[in-house]
Amino acid sequence: MIKKVIAAVVLVSLLTVAIVQAIDKKTEAPQTSSEVSAAAKEGLSIGAKAPDFELKTLSGDTVKLSDLKGKKVMLNFWATWCPPCKAEMPEMEQFSKQIGDDTVILAVNIDPQLDVKGFVNENKITFPVLLDTEDKVNETYQIISIPTTYFIDSNGIIQNKYTGSMKLDIMKKYTQELK
């Protein structure tokens, strides 16, 4: 009988501690507006100017986004270990063969410490693969999940964003909507 009473007291005590801690969390000081807005953001917003960046390709060439002004840009963030990224690569390659000179695909790799060159060769990728070695572009574009693709118009404005593995028809649709 005493064991049951002790067990009940311990259980009630633990429950009381849990409730008090839950109430304390609710009454903590509110976050600043910048903390709230930073937490609420899920990437850059449509209609915003695409932040400029400069990255090296696998072959060592430098690509600067602002140098592509006047062209439509499909800016894709991906990693070699990401199954949805791997799934969309063949369709991105197919799309790269169908686009005209006014459209560019840039695939920003966020895990350059891995064998990106091997992945590109194995999958016969011919569009530019950029290496974000310092993770700066990934952070600037506020990438939360991959793959994430931004569609940037010829004036450098983000017109659309797609998160997840894209099919060819989506790539065509979003780039056709760019001016």
Side-chain angles (χ1 to χ4, degrees):
M1 178 73 178
I2 292 181
K3 287 182 180 179
K4 287 183 181 179
V5 170
I6 292 172
V9 168
V10 169
L11 185 60
V12 169
S13 299
L14 288 173
L15 201 55
T16 304
V17 168
I19 291 170
V20 168
Q21 285 184 345
I23 291 171
D24 281 348
K25 284 190 180 193
K26 286 184 181 177
T27 59
E28 283 179 3
Q31 295 175 317
T32 66
S33 61
S34 63
E35 288 173 329
V36 171
S37 64
K41 281 188 179 177
E42 289 189 14
L44 300 175
S45 56
I46 292 171
K49 178 141 181 66
D52 196 17
F53 62 84
E54 188 174 310
L55 291 174
K56 297 250 186 231
T57 65
L58 278 173
S59 60
D61 297 328
T62 299
V63 173
K64 189 171 182 179
L65 183 63
S66 59
D67 290 345
L68 299 173
K69 189 166 177 148
K71 294 184 182 263
K72 303 173 187 177
V73 178
M74 185 174 115
L75 180 63
N76 176 267
F77 290 84
W78 68 285
T80 57
W81 49 263
C82 162
C85 302
K86 292 177 185 178
E88 75 179 356
M89 283 294 168
E91 294 198 44
M92 283 178 63
E93 178 61 27
Q94 184 181 350
F95 183 58
S96 75
K97 301 216 182 309
Q98 298 174 4
I99 57 177
D101 292 337
D102 68 332
T103 305
V104 177
I105 296 175
L106 297 178
V108 177
N109 176 268
I110 64 169
D111 65 352
Q113 69 280 8
L114 300 179
D115 185 17
V116 179
K117 192 169 203 131
F119 179 90
V120 166
N121 291 340
E122 181 181 318
N123 291 283
K124 299 176 178 57
I125 296 170
T126 59
F127 51 85
V129 173
L130 310 177
L131 303 174
D132 192 7
T133 56
E134 296 177 20
D135 209 30
K136 287 185 179 177
V137 179
N138 179 34
E139 288 176 12
T140 300
Y141 277 79
Q142 304 167 6
I143 302 303
I144 295 170
S145 65
I146 54 172
T148 294
T149 305
Y150 285 96
F151 293 87
I152 304 167
D153 70 17
S154 57
N155 294 315
I157 305 299
I158 298 169
Q159 295 297 331
N160 221 320
K161 175 185 167 189
Y162 191 89
T163 305
S165 185
M166 279 189 300
K167 296 292 184 191
L168 182 62
D169 60 331
I170 294 169
M171 295 175 206
K172 286 180 179 180
K173 177 184 183 293
Y174 286 160
T175 52
Q176 286 172 353
E177 291 174 357
L178 296 175
K179 51 184 167 152

